Amino acid sequence: MVEIMKLVGEKFRLPGELYSYSTITMGNVNSTYKVTYEMDGRLKSYLFQQVNTHAFKKPVEIMKNIDHVTTFIRQKYPQQITLHFHHTADGANYYITDENSFWRVVNYVESITINSCDDLSVIEATGKAFGNFQTQLSDFDGSVLYETIPGFHNTKQRLDTLFEHIEEDPCGRVKEVTEELEYLSQVRERAADLSVRFARGEIPKRVTHNDTKANNVLFHKETKEPLVVVDLDTIMPGMSMYDFGDAVRFIANAVGEDEPDLSKVYFDTEKFKAFAKGFIRETKNSLTEIELQNLVTASFSITIELASRFLDDYLVGNRYFRCEYPKHNLVRARCQLKLAQDIDKKSPALEQIVRDVIEQV
Ligand code: GN1
Ligand code: MG
């Protein structure tokens, strides 16, 4: 591994000597390392990231998207921290090794990230960060962006794919998940509804982040203020309310998204409210009625979508998401299903919270 780190550092012309490196275990798709260089007795850290080209078939297009978006933000808000990607001698912001592995290097931002959080003010700040990110990009021309993963949040298509794989049952695992599939069949149409309406042009197309897990916001170590939104791989035209939904799916779950003990999994309405306050305050003026009215439905839909993606990956043999143990994707899927059921059950209360928040902020 040290050899590849050295090679990548050389290609990106990083000054000094490789001092240390460690794996950052966050993220279920790409592989990330914190790499530190020493020059004249001073240390400087970078993130080296190997992009998963099974998930991202056209990684060069991702890097072009990221370049467009970070340049836009840097020009519009020069004072703001943005991600700084390094370039090779050829002027590319990526490097492909002879073995075809795809690398990029970005400055390390001294910060903390949040995986689980009980502090409602930090949750509200996370909502503010993602809402603000969307508002900042509201006048960015989305037509220049490549669709890095086609149909990424097309819930209907995700569910269709799952049900096709159920027919094929390539690993003989369908028999383990009959209860889960029964539930998914029941809610299939309802969960797919927003994505169908989006495809018909009934819901505004915005430039969205599409992976709004709380740990994609970097926070200041002491002040706990959000510094910058990261993981720009899936920035594409999409639905605003799915960014909201994906975020609460993660942050308002009482436990982690791969909790095996389902009795601990529930949707925390106070956390939901805190996030909604931060997000809606930032986006209220730009969101339309149909978007504000569907924030809860979107939270349910994207939770079902992710459950079906995890389950699908389990059924086809864990090819997409990085797994720590063989049934990891099954555990993740069950956790998301339990969460979706709880969102559904609490939806009248959640709808009321959204209405109150819109009034208050
Ligand atoms: C993946 O790799 P990470 O953690 O940033 C996935 C998201 C899922 C998430 C679930 C490109 O994100 O869509 O919501 O796992 N990203 C991609 O943890 O598939
Ligand atoms: Mg991601």
Side-chain angles (χ1 to χ4, degrees):
M1 209 61 208
V2 67
E3 287 313 313
I4 184 90
M5 296 298 156
K6 277 188 179 155
L7 175 71
V8 172
E10 227 169 77
K11 291 292 173 186
F12 286 93
R13 303 172 296 173
L14 303 182
E17 293 291 319
L18 179 67
Y19 177 79
S20 65
Y21 71 89
S22 55
T23 307
I24 295 194
T25 48
M26 228 152 42
N28 292 330
V29 175
N30 295 324
S31 306
T32 308
Y33 307 86
K34 180 183 178 187
V35 184
T36 303
Y37 273 69
E38 178 178 16
M39 196 172 73
D40 304 331
R42 290 184 51 195
L43 300 178
K44 180 167 168 62
S45 297
Y46 305 85
L47 285 185
F48 283 21
Q49 207 168 33
Q50 185 185 4
V51 176
N52 176 337
T53 48
H54 172 68
F56 296 104
K57 307 276 187 230
K58 294 181 178 168
V60 174
E61 295 187 349
I62 298 185
M63 298 314 292
K64 286 188 180 158
N65 281 358
I66 290 179
D67 209 24
H68 278 306
V69 171
T70 49
T71 306
F72 178 87
I73 295 179
R74 207 174 294 124
Q75 282 168 358
K76 194 169 162 191
Y77 306 97
Q79 312 300 345
Q80 195 173 301
I81 296 180
T82 46
L83 296 180
H84 177 81
F85 284 86
H86 289 258
H87 290 80
T88 65
D90 306 331
N93 55 3
Y94 56 88
Y95 167 68
I96 305 171
T97 68
D98 293 342
E99 286 77 39
N100 245 335
S101 65
F102 191 101
W103 290 86
R104 63 188 175 196
V105 172
V106 64
N107 278 356
Y108 180 79
V109 179
E110 210 41 61
S111 58
I112 51 167
T113 53
I114 287 154
N115 268 313
S116 68
C117 178
D118 292 323
D119 184 338
L120 296 181
S121 65
V122 174
I123 295 178
E124 188 174 332
T126 310
K128 177 179 161 193
F130 281 126
N132 179 253
F133 183 78
Q134 236 176 53
T135 308
Q136 291 192 340
L137 291 175
S138 58
D139 56 341
F140 177 84
D141 174 13
S143 69
V144 304
L145 296 177
Y146 294 100
E147 202 177 351
T148 51
I149 299 182
F152 189 56
H153 284 321
N154 186 335
T155 309
K156 177 175 186 315
Q157 202 173 296
R158 295 289 192 181
L159 283 158
D160 289 351
T161 306
L162 169 71
F163 281 92
E164 274 162 35
H165 289 153
I166 290 164
E167 290 297 311
E168 294 162 18
D169 196 11
C171 303
R173 292 177 176 173
V174 169
K175 58 183 178 300
E176 295 171 49
V177 296
T178 44
E179 225 177 280
E180 288 77 8
L181 293 178
E182 199 183 311
Y183 174 69
L184 280 169
S185 311
Q186 278 170 29
V187 298
R188 185 175 177 179
E189 219 178 288
R190 194 151 61 87
D193 182 54
L194 287 176
S195 66
V196 172
R197 285 157 71 190
F198 179 67
R200 283 204 299 252
E202 293 169 17
I203 289 167
K205 196 186 254 190
R206 306 196 180 269
V207 177
T208 48
H209 182 279
N210 294 308
D211 190 2
T212 48
K213 295 206 293 200
N215 57 26
N216 281 332
V217 180
L218 306 186
F219 286 89
H220 191 283
K221 271 193 166 150
E222 275 98 43
T223 67
K224 305 266 168 43
E225 277 295 306
L227 296 173
V228 58
V229 170
V230 299
D231 190 352
L232 309 180
D233 295 339
T234 48
I235 290 187
M236 286 178 275
M239 283 184 272
S240 169
M241 58 223 190
Y242 262 43
D243 268 7
F244 175 90
D246 203 16
V248 295
R249 165 195 79 69
F250 188 83
I251 211 165
N253 185 351
V255 285
E257 68 177 11
D258 58 355
E259 172 60 52
D261 180 354
L262 294 182
S263 69
K264 293 184 182 155
V265 179
Y266 70 92
F267 196 71
D268 186 321
T269 49
E270 286 305 311
K271 291 183 178 180
F272 173 81
K273 185 175 178 180
F275 185 90
K277 272 190 201 159
F279 187 90
I280 294 173
R281 192 178 292 120
E282 291 297 314
T283 54
K284 190 180 161 184
N285 294 332
S286 53
L287 295 190
T288 57
E289 210 43 44
I290 193 169
E291 289 169 299
L292 288 169
Q293 278 169 6
N294 281 293
L295 293 171
V296 177
T297 307
S299 309
F300 171 74
S301 306
I302 198 155
T303 307
I304 291 291
E305 177 188 293
L306 191 63
S308 70
R309 291 175 64 197
F310 285 144
L311 194 59
D312 177 48
D313 205 30
Y314 178 68
L315 295 182
V316 300
N318 303 326
R319 297 192 302 213
Y320 186 96
F321 293 105
R322 205 132 33 86
C323 289
E324 282 156 30
Y325 52 94
K327 289 198 191 284
H328 202 167
N329 272 323
L330 178 59
V331 167
R332 286 166 170 153
R334 286 183 169 147
C335 176
Q336 296 303 301
L337 287 174
K338 173 80 192 291
L339 189 68
Q341 285 167 349
D342 202 38
I343 295 175
D344 203 18
K345 198 177 84 194
K346 291 176 176 159
S347 69
L350 298 172
E351 299 284 8
Q352 188 56 48
I353 289 173
V354 170
R355 282 193 294 271
D356 293 347
V357 169
I358 293 172
E359 287 284 307
Q360 284 163 15
V361 297

